[in-house]
Amino acid sequence: MNSASGNLPSAKAEPMPLVAVVMGSDSDLMTLQPAIELLEGFNLAVEVRILSAHRTPEEMTTFAKEAEAKGLKVIIAGAGGAAHLPGMVASLTTIPVIGVPIQSKYLSGIDSMYSILQMPGGIPVATVAIGGGLNAGLLAAQILGTFNQDINQNISNYRKSLHGQVVKKDEKLVQIGSSSYISQMSKD
Ligand code: RP5
């Protein structure tokens, strides 16, 4: 461990996951997969679980109560509709919880968003946008990156690649004009 790593072990040297991604249903998995892939791409092991606040409350409680002792540092929790999972997990552990509102069938995720966002004072959940799996993964990595230089470097590299992509698009738009750009977009 180098001095920049603080109390966090290096992600490569540490087999135990530092991050968990939990969801209320397997129907949430597609929304959360970008977070899982991003974190694994940063060489972070991820514990992935289906834990429903309503259908499997005891399993959810056991997970949340054991999270700190097994070394988890951040929990991403996605749920839809009456989306109580992130808040309930947050109430059972002091590990930071990032909530992901899942886009629901009838209310398009507005219900999920308000359920996750409107936590009572004292029990915060860091809520990302509806369907914001990728940003949840990035935020989790950024939290870990404050104590781990390797993870921090991965975040910086990611930002550089985003910058490069937009610069490239801008150059192309300036070069070929908007009509050709749009017709090329529809072929992609
Ligand atoms: C919530 O109910 C889950 O988080 C999911 O988004 C929603 C619907 O679940 P399924 O009926 O698809 O299992 O608990």
Side-chain angles (χ1 to χ4, degrees), residues 2 5 10-12 42 145 148-155 157:
N2 62 36
S5 300
S10 151
K12 283 175 195 154
F42 287 176
N148 183 304
Q149 193 51 45
D150 290 345
I151 300 171
N152 204 27
Q153 188 57 52
N154 281 326
I155 298 280
N157 293 344

Side-chain angles (χ1 to χ4, degrees), residues 29-111:
L29 183 55
M30 290 302 281
T31 302
L32 297 167
Q33 186 64 10
I36 297 163
E37 286 178 8
L38 178 106
L39 292 162
E40 289 179 347
F42 287 176
N43 294 314
L44 288 159
V46 185
E47 180 178 357
V48 184
R49 302 284 305 276
I50 300 166
L51 297 166
S52 169
H54 307 117
R55 293 164 176 158
T56 59
E58 286 171 15
E59 286 81 355
M60 175 204 67
T61 301
T62 301
F63 164 82
K65 286 187 169 175
E66 291 177 350
E68 189 176 357
K70 68 185 174 189
L72 289 172
K73 302 296 180 194
V74 192
I75 298 169
I76 295 170
H84 297 142
L85 176 66
M88 287 306 300
V89 170
S91 76
L92 292 162
T93 179
T94 55
I95 296 170
V97 174
I98 301 169
V100 184
I102 303 295
Q103 185 168 9
S104 53
K105 190 174 171 186
Y106 297 108
L107 297 174
S108 300
I110 298 292
D111 45 352

